[in-house]
Amino acid sequence: MPSAVKPYRNLGRVRPDSKGRITLGKLAEGVSSYIVRADAEGRLVLEPFAEIPARERWLFNNKEAHGRVLRGLADAAAGRVRSLGSFARYANSSIED
């Protein structure tokens, strides 16, 4: 179910420099790129993106695995976890062991 749309917050005013660039500073922390959309009235909306390494893309393409990870994260956030103890003794084991 999609989350409810929240109203915009005014985060201040920025001015483009002589080359038309706008600096977002701390507003861009953790963001690697933006998609820019314009509406009919000329307003611009920046949608932040955080790319993932190609080696991790498989998880987002595998719906079953992705769902399991999301369920696990939800369980952890809700405190539905239990300790299985240390796995240190397996640190140097090969997969075949």
Side-chain angles (χ1 to χ4, degrees):
M1 176 181 292
S3 62
V5 176
K6 296 180 182 178
Y8 290 107
R9 293 180 299 148
N10 187 351
L11 300 177
R13 184 179 295 224
V14 295
R15 296 187 188 279
D17 65 12
S18 62
K19 294 184 179 181
R21 298 174 297 197
I22 294 175
T23 302
L24 299 176
K26 289 186 177 187
L27 295 174
E29 283 184 15
V31 177
S32 58
S33 65
Y34 289 89
I35 286 188
V36 182
R37 293 187 174 93
D39 68 13
E41 297 178 25
R43 290 179 290 204
L44 301 177
V45 175
L46 303 177
E47 182 176 354
F49 275 77
E51 277 102 46
I52 59 168
R55 70 177 185 275
E56 296 175 15
R57 184 176 51 223
W58 71 270
L59 180 60
F60 295 90
N61 292 334
N62 183 322
K63 291 183 181 188
E64 181 182 352
H66 190 246
R68 288 181 181 196
V69 168
L70 293 177
R71 281 191 303 280
L73 291 171
D75 286 345
R80 295 186 299 264
V81 295
R82 64 184 170 95
S83 174
L84 297 176
S86 173
F87 286 80
R89 67 178 176 245
Y90 302 108
N92 295 321
S93 297
S94 67
I95 293 175
E96 293 80 31
D97 287 351

